[in-house]
Amino acid sequence: MIQIAVLGYGTVGSGVVEVIETNKADINKKAAEDLAVKYILDLRDFPGDPYESKVVHDYNIILNDPDVTIICETMGGTKPAYEFTKQALLAGKSVCTSNKELVAAHGPELLKIAREKRCNYLFEASVGGGIPIIRPLNYSLTAEHIDGITGILNGTTNYILTKMDKEGVDFDEVLKEAQEKGYAERNPEADVEGYDACRKIAILSSLMSGKNVNYEDIYTEGITKISSADFKYAKQMNKSVKLLALSRDTEDGFFAMVAPFLISREHPLYSVNGVFNAVYVHGNMLGDSMYYGRGAGKLPTASAVVSDVVDCARHQGKTIMCFWDEEKVEVADRKRARRKFFVRVPADKREAAMGAFGALAEVNVGLAEEFAFMTQEMSEAEFDEKMEKIGGCLNRIRIMA
Ligand code: HSE
């Protein structure tokens, strides 16, 4: 019998208990041993809950119980999750987590402790919710040199952008509706400003490079400036706007970014709609592969946590290899990245825009008060210089090649 503790009985934590209960027979067979939830740590009590008797408020009870060998950390945030995780690993207990903030901030340090203590720190649920993406990167694609990852890694923003695209409504209106339906947090900053996607691409980029990509080095823009007018133009160009998180390992350096991009109908990520997430991976032998599914939600995320629990059960006393060292990756200045841009300026800046950009392709959707165009490919630095000459714009969106 393998005894488990769950830290945090919120959405994901209660999902973990539910997944273990619902799929008990299958999971026990796959783990080759029976799994049982011994403790649930939470500040609250849960009178009437079937697991009420398992709830404890003192972490030391879990830490000091030698029967508990696997801990599911579903608390979120770094305090006190960092201390709790570190203490568990130092005590030789494996930790399975959905906590992307903690993995992005302290992943390599916690992995190192797990290696030293011959246990595991697993984080399949931290990126893409229920989509298997960490395990493919760690196990299945080990024969590849992965040189590109492009992801739709945030369900909230993808839901908002999809609604804007399909229904022609503006950002504020969709956000309000998403909040009412519970798809967006009351404080939506981490999602709509791209911070959540930034942490997730930092984790994937680190696994891609085998070294540490610091999330603070990743240039991040959210979706708050995207308007219904942008979608009118996007449609005219047979494109849509998606919040993309990407990293590229090139001869010119390692580039990573989170920003809204115009993406054409032919791109596989174009059809990833609503709360779904997808990760598009390029390897030098395999070429492209894509991983798609529910990137958030109680049971999909919990399912990924429990898959890690099964992996821990199968590897007791052994550390599963994870290539993520503490050595830092120098993330290249985004200004050196080259791409095309879509730009909207007030109509009276038409001449200035044509002067600054030279060859450009006008996009017309009948909005007389503005002039919109696609640029040639250029570096972000060149683009910024030209925009400075024009003196600003209504909006500009990067175009995915
Ligand atoms: N807020 C996140 C999202 C939850 O919308 O994708 C999953 O990490």
Side-chain angles (χ1 to χ4, degrees), residues 100 153-156 191 196 200 277 295-296:
K100 64 241 160 179
L153 299 179
N154 183 268
T156 306
D191 293 316
D196 175 78
K200 291 168 176 168
N277 283 192

Side-chain angles (χ1 to χ4, degrees), residues 233-234 236-237 239 262 340-345 350 353-365 370-378 383 386 397 399:
Y233 288 104
Q236 173 80 5
M237 294 182 278
K239 295 181 193 293
L262 278 160
K340 292 180 180 175
F341 297 81
F342 166 72
V343 189
R344 290 167 49 216
V345 294
R350 170 190 279 262
M354 290 174 96
F357 282 95
L360 50 76
E362 182 176 355
V363 188
N364 194 334
V365 293
E370 53 186 74
F371 173 62
F373 59 93
M374 279 193 286
T375 71
Q376 301 286 305
E377 187 184 296
M378 62 188 67
F383 177 78
K386 291 180 197 295
I397 309 176
I399 300 176

Side-chain angles (χ1 to χ4, degrees), residues 18 25 43 50 70 106-107 122 141 188 200 206 209 220 228 264 281 295 374 394:
E18 190 176 330
L43 293 170
I70 303 174
H106 296 286
L122 302 184
L141 299 176
K200 291 168 176 168
S206 297
S209 66
T220 299
S228 53
S264 48
V281 178
M374 279 193 286
L394 298 168

Side-chain angles (χ1 to χ4, degrees), residues 119-378:
C119 57
N120 283 291
Y121 183 52
L122 302 184
F123 45 92
E124 182 60 72
S126 66
V127 181
I131 309 172
I133 181 60
I134 304 296
R135 210 166 273 113
L137 290 175
N138 262 344
Y139 283 15
S140 320
L141 299 176
T142 44
E144 292 294 314
H145 171 70
I146 296 170
D147 51 20
I149 294 182
T150 311
I152 293 177
L153 299 179
N154 183 268
T156 306
T157 47
N158 205 45
Y159 173 84
I160 293 173
L161 292 173
T162 303
K163 275 253 169 191
M164 289 174 75
D165 189 7
K166 307 284 179 232
E167 294 172 19
V169 275
D170 257 316
F171 172 78
D172 291 332
E173 198 181 318
V174 189
L175 174 63
K176 196 163 159 273
E177 189 207 312
Q179 283 171 314
E180 280 161 10
K181 286 191 171 157
Y183 293 149
E185 304 277 346
R186 209 163 289 168
N187 177 0
E189 196 188 11
D191 293 316
V192 300
E193 296 295 354
Y195 308 149
D196 175 78
C198 170
R199 275 150 181 88
K200 291 168 176 168
I201 194 67
I203 295 170
L204 297 185
S205 304
S206 297
L207 295 177
M208 169 175 158
S209 66
K211 297 178 194 159
N212 191 38
V213 175
N214 187 340
Y215 70 89
E216 288 164 322
D217 294 342
I218 299 177
Y219 176 83
T220 299
E221 261 180 39
I223 62 164
T224 54
K225 293 194 183 111
I226 302 297
S227 67
S228 53
D230 292 319
F231 277 101
K232 274 197 188 125
Y233 288 104
K235 273 208 174 78
Q236 173 80 5
M237 294 182 278
N238 271 326
K239 295 181 193 293
S240 187
V241 183
K242 297 283 186 195
L243 182 69
L244 298 184
L246 49 92
S247 50
R248 298 281 183 273
D249 189 6
T250 77
E251 282 176 1
D252 289 336
F254 194 97
F255 292 87
M257 171 179 278
V258 175
F261 275 78
L262 278 160
I263 182 167
S264 48
R265 229 175 247 277
E266 293 74 40
H267 197 291
L269 291 172
Y270 176 92
S271 311
V272 177
N273 286 320
V275 294
F276 279 83
N277 283 192
V279 191
Y280 192 62
V281 178
H282 187 268
N284 65 339
M285 298 290 123
L286 171 67
D288 295 319
S289 58
M290 190 157 103
Y291 308 83
Y292 169 83
R294 292 189 182 277
K298 175 175 168 166
L299 294 177
T301 309
S303 170
V305 175
V306 177
S307 78
D308 280 344
V309 172
V310 172
D311 225 357
C312 287
R314 287 172 171 176
H315 293 91
Q316 293 174 79
K318 269 191 238 150
T319 304
I320 299 162
M321 278 307 289
C322 176
F323 299 95
W324 183 352
D325 290 342
E326 284 175 294
E327 190 187 335
K328 184 176 153 67
V329 174
E330 285 307 326
V331 177
D333 189 337
R334 63 125 191 134
K335 289 187 179 246
R336 291 205 284 117
R338 294 184 67 80
R339 61 182 104 255
K340 292 180 180 175
F341 297 81
F342 166 72
V343 189
R344 290 167 49 216
V345 294
D348 62 3
K349 288 191 175 172
R350 170 190 279 262
E351 297 309 318
M354 290 174 96
F357 282 95
L360 50 76
E362 182 176 355
V363 188
N364 194 334
V365 293
L367 295 176
E369 66 283 10
E370 53 186 74
F371 173 62
F373 59 93
M374 279 193 286
T375 71
Q376 301 286 305
E377 187 184 296
M378 62 188 67

